[in-house]
Amino acid sequence: MAQKGDLLSVRKDIRVVDATIRDGGLCNDFRFDDKFVKDLYAANVKAGVDYMEFGYKASKEIFDENDFGKWKFCKDEDIRKIVGDNKTDLKIAVMADVGRTDFKNDIIQKKDSPIDLIRIATYINTIPAAIEMIEDAAKKGYETTINIMAVSKARTEDIKAALEAFGQTPVSAFYIVDSYGSIYPEEARRLADMYCEIADKYKKSVGIHAHNNQQLAFANTIEAMTYGASYLDATVDGMGRGAGNCALELLLGFLKNPKYKVDPIVKIIEDHTSKLREQGVKWGYDIPYMLTGQYNTHPRPAIQFVKEERKDYYKFINELYDIINN
């Protein structure tokens, strides 16, 4: 597909999605205090962000509420305490994992909820269950997107088959998800071409959610955007699992639409995320995350390495090699 827009143009189809509470919550078990969440909500409104993702709709049968902060579960009443009736242009999103969400009970009718968008996350092997969740959420009145996780591990023919299946549902957008931070801009462009070709066929949009293992989250995001992606995920200060995500402040500074403002997000970094770092919450580029990105594998071993404050990177290379090849 041809390049869409240029460096000086405004794309009216762009939707910026702040995923700080959800992906950043993986760094501190979702234990954000209400002041941080309220300040972030207000900042996103001022910054012109289109969607704010509050966290997961995780099943309380699977996850113990005592082990996590409330944004692991995103009860409607907890969101309401932050946003009230949300009389703003900012829409509220949550993520629902296939197999880890009691969606029939915990996702209520849209008319009774402050939530606007249900972001459904699936792997290639759980497509039918994801379609059931999309249809359930749409019947309840929500917008929906579908995040196909670990796309760097999936076969092209399987991705195409999945997108064709999702195209026939009420879903609004297909997401490219670089779960392992392993793809490069050329691959982001190729995936955007493939996703957009099928999305255009079914009048859907395309999104991208990038991880920063190889310091390419921002580059991959704007490359995919250039070739048609319009839903763009980012987080304040790049806060997210392991190496983190595309930084919201970088993305807003890049976009030319005058409705987007960087200053409110920089204030959140000054007032909140910098303090979280000082308190020992860890995220961001580091050698072990680079290695899992290059090996195209889950960052779990790297997260443990960083948690233990190890610095024996050379030894970790060999450990990682053994993990992957056993």
Side-chain angles (χ1 to χ4, degrees):
M1 295 179 72
Q3 181 173 318
K4 193 170 183 181
D6 57 45
L7 287 173
L8 298 179
S9 62
V10 171
R11 289 254 307 272
K12 297 294 186 182
D13 61 319
I14 294 298
R15 300 290 182 268
V16 174
V17 181
D18 168 39
T20 306
I21 301 300
R22 201 273 307 167
D23 213 318
L26 295 166
C27 302
N28 68 347
D29 293 328
F30 304 90
R31 300 187 189 280
F32 297 104
D33 60 41
D34 281 3
K35 178 168 174 50
F36 174 78
V37 181
K38 285 180 179 178
D39 286 355
L40 179 56
Y41 168 70
N44 278 325
V45 171
K46 291 178 183 177
V49 169
D50 299 285
Y51 292 88
M52 177 175 170
E53 186 180 42
F54 271 69
Y56 285 97
K57 273 282 188 185
S59 169
K60 292 180 284 295
E61 294 294 317
I62 298 173
F63 300 97
D64 189 333
E65 288 186 82
N66 295 318
D67 292 338
F68 300 94
K70 58 189 172 184
W71 305 114
K72 177 77 170 178
F73 306 96
C74 283
K75 295 177 183 177
D76 293 83
E77 58 268 29
D78 289 332
I79 296 175
R80 188 86 68 184
K81 287 177 184 176
I82 303 296
V83 307
D85 292 329
N86 188 32
K87 294 179 179 178
T88 75
D89 293 331
L90 176 69
K91 292 185 176 182
I92 306 304
V94 296
M95 181 163 280
D97 279 348
V98 169
R100 295 183 173 186
T101 304
D102 184 7
F103 63 94
K104 292 184 178 178
N105 294 310
D106 290 342
I107 298 177
I108 63 176
Q109 293 292 326
K110 167 67 188 84
K111 64 182 178 62
D112 300 319
S113 172
I115 299 166
D116 300 290
L117 169 66
I118 307 294
R119 284 155 51 92
I120 294 154
T122 185
Y123 289 94
I124 280 289
N125 64 334
T126 53
I127 302 304
I131 290 173
E132 181 186 17
M133 290 177 67
I134 291 168
E135 291 175 345
D136 180 82
K139 285 177 184 176
K140 290 172 178 173
Y142 295 95
E143 300 173 41
T144 58
T145 61
I146 187 69
N147 288 33
I148 304 176
M149 312 296 282
V151 70
S152 59
K153 286 285 193 181
R155 298 186 305 172
T156 299
E157 56 267 38
D158 290 339
I159 297 171
K160 288 182 176 178
L163 295 175
E164 289 285 350
F166 289 132
Q168 298 171 61
T169 73
V171 78
S172 298
F174 313 142
Y175 257 88
I176 301 164
V177 184
D178 183 20
S179 300
Y180 302 154
S182 64
I183 70 173
Y184 295 93
E186 182 178 346
E187 294 169 292
R189 184 190 320 144
R190 178 179 58 80
L191 287 165
D193 278 348
M194 179 173 65
Y195 276 60
C196 286
E197 182 178 358
I198 298 173
D200 288 350
K201 175 180 174 181
Y202 292 102
K203 295 181 169 54
K204 309 295 185 183
S205 298
V206 170
I208 181 166
H209 180 89
H211 280 263
N212 206 37
N213 296 61
Q214 301 187 84
Q215 295 194 346
L216 290 170
F218 176 53
N220 286 333
T221 298
I222 62 175
E223 188 73 2
M225 183 201 75
T226 299
Y227 286 86
S230 53
Y231 281 69
L232 310 177
D233 282 18
T235 63
V236 175
D237 206 2
M239 186 180 188
R241 183 199 68 189
N245 302 87
C246 174
L248 182 59
E249 59 276 12
L250 281 174
L251 181 61
L252 295 177
F254 172 80
L255 296 172
K256 296 301 181 285
N257 191 330
K259 85 166 193 167
Y260 295 124
K261 306 288 191 299
V262 176
D263 298 16
I265 303 305
V266 171
K267 192 72 168 69
I268 292 294
I269 295 171
E270 179 181 328
D271 291 346
H272 291 286
T273 60
S274 61
K275 292 180 174 61
L276 289 173
R277 289 184 186 274
E278 290 170 4
Q279 293 164 10
V281 181
K282 296 182 182 296
W283 73 89
Y285 171 80
D286 202 344
I287 295 299
Y289 297 129
M290 177 201 76
L291 292 168
T292 58
Q294 290 179 347
Y295 278 119
N296 190 19
T297 194
H298 197 286
R300 196 175 294 110
I303 291 170
Q304 186 62 32
F305 181 98
V306 172
K307 185 177 181 180
E308 293 173 0
E309 299 185 344
R310 291 173 56 185
K311 298 297 179 185
D312 50 340
Y313 300 124
Y314 186 76
K315 182 180 179 182
F316 180 70
I317 293 175
N318 294 312
E319 292 175 355
L320 191 59
Y321 182 87
D322 289 340
I323 290 169
I324 293 167
N325 291 286
N326 283 335

